[in-house]
Amino acid sequence: MSEQLTIALSKGRIFDETLPLLAVAGIVPAEDPEQSRKLIIATNREQVRLVIVRATDVPTYVQYGAADLGIAGKDVLTEHGGEGLYQPLDLHIARCRMMVAVRQGFDYQAASQPGRRLRVATKYPDIAAAHFAAKGVHVDIIKLYGSMELAPLVGLSDAIVDLVSTGGTLKANRLEAVEHIADISSRLVVNKAALKTKYALLEPVIQAFARAVASDTPTHDKETDNEHSAD
Ligand code: ATP
Ligand code: MG
């Protein structure tokens, strides 16, 4: 059997925004993961297959070599730590911002003074802890898996750390962003060992992605926000 290349992708915006990049590399999925229930999807190229995993699981599949490469948000990569991963390219897709948000009218300045403790709900405990530690603000972090926007509305927390693109979800829930933590976009991640052992297969794909990004850089305003962005 000839060597296989396995690419880990998540459904939704990352898959959708990756399709044009794959096309530049001459890779076309045989099925749409939104329609199919298959978790392994063949492509037009016999040697290349896609595996469909949760966005937060992409770095793990690539780290352990179950996938040779993958695409993951900087948010997910920072929280994962990036161990065992080579990160050659910022793909400039799935762009958004990591922000601190509170209920409209909440006195964030007062609540984050020395001597106070701020309760922060988030899906990103490491990013949140590092941010507040750098500011010298004492926080209690509450780990959530989705719908962070609800937490300040029902008194679970004072603030949330979450991804924001248009701000529509915050506004719909009477929240406001009060601090910018980081700009987020998705990155190509490659298994460090595969980069050596499968170089001949991987290198043209990485090069094609680099070309696609270079020829299509000003795509910032394709940001989307919808009711699913909180989950
Ligand atoms: P699920 O929605 O299945 O619970 P998820 O929330 O991890 O999983 P997505 O919402 O598709 O999956 O997010 C995947 C990645 O897309 C995130 O890790 C982040 O990098 C990026 N992202 C998330 N929300 C937005 C947004 N509103 N706009 C742009 N990019 C986003
Ligand atoms: Mg989501």
Side-chain angles (χ1 to χ4, degrees):
M1 202 185 100
S2 64
E3 249 187 339
Q4 273 257 322
L5 205 60
T6 302
I7 304 177
L9 292 176
S10 54
K11 279 201 267 193
R13 56 172 67 85
I14 289 187
F15 185 87
D16 297 343
E17 296 188 35
T18 298
L19 274 179
L21 304 177
L22 287 172
V24 171
I27 299 166
V28 181
E31 281 176 273
D32 173 359
E34 296 299 346
Q35 310 299 324
S36 164
R37 292 181 183 219
K38 284 188 193 157
L39 298 175
I40 300 180
I41 298 202
T43 71
N44 61 322
R45 289 181 43 192
E46 208 185 341
Q47 284 176 303
V48 182
R49 63 179 184 172
L50 310 180
V51 292
I52 306 300
V53 303
R54 280 296 288 264
T56 40
D57 292 335
V58 167
T60 307
Y61 276 81
V62 177
Q63 172 188 3
Y64 289 98
D68 302 301
L69 70 166
I71 294 174
K74 181 83 173 92
D75 51 325
V76 163
L77 287 168
T78 304
E79 204 63 29
H80 170 271
E83 202 190 328
L85 303 176
Y86 169 57
Q87 300 183 31
L89 272 180
D90 180 350
L91 300 172
H92 299 291
I93 61 170
R95 293 166 70 110
C96 52
R97 295 171 300 281
M98 184 73 71
M99 307 282 288
V100 181
V102 298
R103 269 194 337 272
Q104 286 171 9
F106 178 82
D107 192 347
Y108 177 68
Q109 292 314 327
S112 51
Q113 287 304 306
R116 303 278 299 268
R117 282 192 88 83
L118 193 71
R119 281 160 68 99
V120 179
T122 186
K123 189 172 151 184
Y124 305 98
D126 290 353
I127 294 172
H131 172 72
F132 290 108
K135 282 173 45 99
V137 175
H138 291 284
V139 288
D140 292 313
I141 305 271
I142 300 169
K143 163 85 185 183
L144 291 178
Y145 293 86
S147 302
M148 265 81 76
E149 293 86 353
L150 181 61
L153 303 181
V154 295
L156 179 61
S157 72
D158 303 310
I160 60 173
V161 166
D162 198 7
L163 297 174
V164 179
S165 53
T166 64
T169 307
L170 290 182
K171 209 168 180 184
N173 291 291
R174 296 175 171 272
L175 301 176
E176 61 182 354
V178 288
E179 226 161 54
H180 174 270
I181 299 180
D183 287 324
I184 301 293
S185 57
S186 288
R187 317 290 161 113
L188 185 63
V189 293
V190 183
N191 176 272
K192 278 188 179 162
L195 189 63
K196 300 196 179 98
T197 59
K198 296 189 178 180
Y199 188 79
L201 263 176
L202 272 168
E203 162 60 26
V205 175
I206 297 171
Q207 287 304 327
F209 275 51
R211 280 200 311 279
V213 173
S215 69
D216 189 35
T217 308
T219 53
H220 335 303
D221 293 341
K222 283 201 291 190
E223 290 179 356
T224 53
D225 197 9
N226 55 45
E227 64 272 35
H228 304 299
S229 63
D231 62 25

